[in-house]
Amino acid sequence: EGRRFNGMCAAVIRVQLRKLPAMIEAMTAISRRVRAAVSLPRGVEWRTVVDPVGEHGSTVTMIFPSEDEAAAFCAAGARLAGDLWFAMHLKHHGQHIYYNCSNLVEKMETLPGGFPWSHPANAGDYSYGPGTCPNTDALLARSVGFAVRPDESELHTDAVAEMLGLAFSDM
């Protein structure tokens, strides 16, 4: 909700932040390994990495030509792997979609006085419900992603790549 840390949380975070560079390096390497190992069918593309230096590699995302094809890919993976299926149709990704963020939709203040909603740049009567950002909604409907953990082994990474390939062949 954009709240401040108390002292105890800040102390823990300070120690944990030292681990972050190694975690980002590991996730980026895993993401690259999966992307290199999977041949995408015609019309499907990897999400473009706009800022390679700033890329953290925590999610690998594929963009399909249509929402139906993204859904079919997820269904094929679920048929093949059941509860082990790990890819998520991003339109169902819950809290990470703007219209599911209660602090945004409900315009919750982060500081006394109503900030940021009291700021003149945020004046106006508008909402953040579904349909507010139609281009984002359309892209999420065509996108499938999966999380990358920094502690994944090469064996696990290769199994993920193989499972993605099997799901494509089962669509």
Side-chain angles (χ1 to χ4, degrees):
E1 295 179 357
R3 309 291 187 217
R4 295 175 186 248
F5 288 121
N6 63 34
M8 184 62 77
C9 289
V12 170
I13 291 293
R14 186 173 181 180
V15 172
Q16 293 293 48
L17 283 173
R18 292 184 194 129
K19 300 176 185 178
L20 193 57
M23 293 171 70
I24 291 171
E25 185 177 321
M27 289 186 297
T28 301
I30 292 165
S31 296
R32 286 183 183 144
R33 184 178 179 100
V34 168
R35 288 170 68 130
V38 176
S39 297
L40 297 178
R42 182 181 170 103
V44 180
E45 60 190 52
W46 297 111
R47 177 187 62 88
T48 301
V49 175
V50 179
D51 177 15
V53 175
E55 175 66 14
H56 51 71
S58 67
T59 305
V60 176
T61 303
M62 298 166 284
I63 303 170
F64 289 75
S66 71
E67 179 176 354
D68 289 343
E69 289 173 88
F73 175 78
C74 287
R79 277 192 309 276
L80 290 166
D83 290 340
L84 299 176
W85 184 240
F86 50 86
M88 166 71 78
H89 195 164
L90 293 187
K91 77 178 230 171
H92 302 299
H93 198 35
Q95 194 64 19
H96 296 283
I97 299 176
Y98 71 93
Y99 52 78
N100 290 331
C101 295
S102 58
N103 58 337
L104 183 64
V105 173
E106 296 171 21
K107 299 182 181 177
M108 297 168 69
E109 64 183 45
T110 55
L111 295 173
F115 187 83
W117 309 108
S118 59
H119 190 279
N122 295 323
D125 187 24
Y126 47 87
S127 74
Y128 290 100
T132 301
C133 302
N135 292 337
T136 297
D137 296 345
L139 184 59
L140 290 170
R142 297 185 301 115
S143 298
V144 173
F146 58 92
V148 174
R149 294 179 31 181
D151 60 350
E152 288 180 6
S153 67
E154 287 186 5
L155 180 64
H156 183 266
T157 301
D158 293 344
V160 166
E162 184 176 346
M163 185 60 67
L164 292 172
L166 289 171
F168 279 120
S169 64
D170 194 56
M171 288 176 54

